[in-house]
């Protein structure tokens, strides 16, 4: 009836006004979510506008709760994870994926194993795979990336495999080679690949306007730019002096990043960092991790090189993959701890990692090589750790 509709609208307006005035709580967000679900079921004439307003109100409530009380935000978002689309959450770290087969996904502890014992294995992803799709531009960028990487590492190109699958196999081949067995070598070569992709123009530009760093030869800036600043603008200080990063750098970088890196990792959207501030992006399901299923490649051919790249540009970055869902959170402006000191980085290899089997086979062959023709012990070739 008309009277019932008017009463319902008054209750809804009262709820909205109370929600706007008061601080966000689990109860207020739950009430908003129930109203949204109820409107979605009814689908009245005015439901479209009301749904838009209520979703915006819930979004602001979630944002504010994340800023003031992250633990309460995690508890609330986890409780409502089946009712709120994941794309509408301001941050998804430590929030169980609705398609996950895991019961809960708490932050992985830094495990302490006994000396001589290998770290325990890490469970594989339980979220169904996403088809790896690439548009013509992404395919071209991947082709260029693979050529650059092959030229830097000397790895043989896998022309029989296109796109990300081919790049992953080339990186795996390099990782298992004598030249690529050093984690630092893997990281340095990937960093060099990324710098070539950026062209000589972008890094100096970014360092100046985002990193607020004085140009320097050690950072790779062109000599003419260094000379110009030192002679014409001496008040900026000595070469390499840092005044940043700029306060706007995390936000602007997060806006641009989805267009720059998506060809390597898959669909990316802008979100908030775990502290509720601007400067975050989340990879919906990393196609590189999905294809490789290897923590070692994730660490040495993606996470650390990306962090080192932005650190060299003057902006800290922390990359935090979730191995259960294969989502990956990038937080611009957040300093990344070393993997061994990071409570969110689990030790040990993934259960289904094919690289681990290859490493084990190489080590087995080495143990069988007891000596050469002169009866002398053969020098063992260094083998990469796959995690």
């Amino acid at each position: 009836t008309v009277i019932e509709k008017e009463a319902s609208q008054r209750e809804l307006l009262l709820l909205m006004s109370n929600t706007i005035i008061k601080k966000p709580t689990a109860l207020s967000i739950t009430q908003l979510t129930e109203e949204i679900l109820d409107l979605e079921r009814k689908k009245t004439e005015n439901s479209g506008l009301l749904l838009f307003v209520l979703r915006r109100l819930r979004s602001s409530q979630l944002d504010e709760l994340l800023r003031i009380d992250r633990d309460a935000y995690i508890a609330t978002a986890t409780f409502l994870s089946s009712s709120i689309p994941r794309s509408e959450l301001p941050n998804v770290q430590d929030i169980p994926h609705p398609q996950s087969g895991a019961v809960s996904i708490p932050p992985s502890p830094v495990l302490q194993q006994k000396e001589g014992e290998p770290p325990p294995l890490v469970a594989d992803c339980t979220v169904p795979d996403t088809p790896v799709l690439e548009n013509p531009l992404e395919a071209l960028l991947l082709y260029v990336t693979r050529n650059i990487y092959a030229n830097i590492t000397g790895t043989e190109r896998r022309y029989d495999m296109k796109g990300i699958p081919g790049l992953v196999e080339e990186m795996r081949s390099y990782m298992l080679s004598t030249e690529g067995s050093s984690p630092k070598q893997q990281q340095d070569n990937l960093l060099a690949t990324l710098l070539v992709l950026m062209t000589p123009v972008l890094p100096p530009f970014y360092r100046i306007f985002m990193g607020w760093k004085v140009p320097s030869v050690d950072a790779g800036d062109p000599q003419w730019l260094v000379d110009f600043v030192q002679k014409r603008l001496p008040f900026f200080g000595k070469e390499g002096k840092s005044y940043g990063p700029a306060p706007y750098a995390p936000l602007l970088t997060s806006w641009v990043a989805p267009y720059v890196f998506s060809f390597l990792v898959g669909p990316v959207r802008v979100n908030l960092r775990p502290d509720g501030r601007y400067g975050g992006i989340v990879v919906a399901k990393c196609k590189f991790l999905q294809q490789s299923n290897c923590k070692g490649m994730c660490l040495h051919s993606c996470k650390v090189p990306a962090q080192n790249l932005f650190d060299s540009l003057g902006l800290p970055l922390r990359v935090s993959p979730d191995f259960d869902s294969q989502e990956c959170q990038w937080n611009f402006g957040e300093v990344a701890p070393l993997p061994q000191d990071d409570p969110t980085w689990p030790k040990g290899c993934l259960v289904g990692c094919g690289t681990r089997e290859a490493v084990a086979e190489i080590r087995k062959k080495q143990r069988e090589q007891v000596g050469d023709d002169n009866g002398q012990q053969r020098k063992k070739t260094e083998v990469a750790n796959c995690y």
Side-chain angles (χ1 to χ4, degrees), residues 8-269:
S8 177
Q9 289 176 356
R10 284 197 299 269
E11 290 176 2
L12 185 57
L13 288 172
L14 181 61
L15 171 64
M16 291 168 60
S17 61
N18 288 336
T19 304
I20 293 171
I21 295 172
K22 295 179 180 179
K23 288 185 177 181
T25 64
L27 179 60
S28 67
I29 293 171
T30 302
Q31 288 176 333
L32 282 171
T33 301
E34 289 175 348
E35 290 293 342
I36 291 171
L37 293 175
D38 188 52
L39 280 172
E40 287 176 341
R41 285 191 295 267
K42 292 179 178 178
K43 293 183 179 179
T44 61
E45 293 180 3
N46 300 324
S47 61
L49 178 60
L50 282 173
L51 279 171
F52 173 79
V53 173
L54 287 175
R55 286 195 182 107
R56 293 307 305 161
L57 184 55
R58 182 177 64 185
S59 176
S60 66
Q61 288 269 298
L62 286 167
D63 292 355
E64 181 64 19
L65 186 60
L66 176 61
R67 278 189 286 269
I68 63 177
D69 191 341
R70 175 166 167 74
D71 290 337
Y73 166 80
I74 291 174
T76 303
T78 300
F79 176 71
L80 297 171
S81 60
S82 61
S83 302
I84 302 178
R86 203 158 178 83
S87 60
E88 294 183 18
L89 293 174
N91 185 274
V92 297
Q93 278 186 279
D94 303 324
I95 310 298
H97 196 286
Q99 292 181 289
S100 170
V103 176
S104 61
I105 314 173
S108 303
V110 176
L111 301 173
Q112 299 292 330
Q113 70 270 10
K114 296 180 181 179
E115 186 176 355
E117 289 186 356
L121 296 178
V122 178
D124 288 327
C125 173
T126 59
V127 175
D129 286 351
T130 300
V132 178
L133 303 175
E134 292 151 5
N135 60 41
L137 178 58
E138 291 174 333
L140 175 61
L141 289 172
L142 280 168
Y143 181 82
V144 172
T145 302
R146 292 175 64 181
N147 281 338
I148 295 171
Y149 184 79
N151 290 336
I152 291 174
T153 61
T155 305
E156 184 178 353
R157 281 291 309 272
R158 289 290 303 271
Y159 291 102
D160 59 319
M161 302 180 72
K162 296 181 179 181
I164 278 292
L167 177 62
V168 166
E169 288 310 310
E170 288 159 5
M171 288 183 169
R172 197 192 307 273
S173 175
Y174 179 69
M175 180 181 181
L176 296 173
S177 69
T178 303
E179 296 79 9
S181 60
S182 165
K184 188 176 186 309
Q185 194 65 40
Q186 296 173 48
Q187 297 163 15
D188 290 347
N189 285 333
L190 205 287
L191 176 59
T193 301
L194 295 175
L195 287 171
V196 173
L197 279 171
M198 292 183 72
T199 74
V201 177
L202 291 180
F205 176 85
Y206 191 97
R207 268 190 287 268
I208 293 172
F209 294 101
M210 297 288 194
W212 282 3
K213 297 186 72 171
V214 179
S216 69
V217 175
D218 291 340
D221 296 319
Q223 186 66 57
W224 68 265
L225 181 60
V226 176
D227 293 340
F228 176 82
V229 172
Q230 292 301 309
K231 292 178 182 179
R232 301 295 180 89
L233 306 170
F235 49 86
F236 280 131
K238 295 182 179 180
E239 290 185 36
K241 185 175 178 61
S242 177
Y243 297 94
Y248 53 77
L251 175 60
L252 293 185
T253 304
S254 70
W255 286 351
V256 175
Y259 302 99
V260 176
F261 297 117
S262 60
F263 78 98
L264 286 171
V265 296
V268 179
R269 69 177 177 88

Side-chain angles (χ1 to χ4, degrees), residues 366 369 376-381:
Q366 285 186 344
Q369 294 175 350
Q376 297 176 342
Q377 184 70 25
R378 288 184 181 180
K379 183 179 179 180
K380 290 186 178 180
T381 304

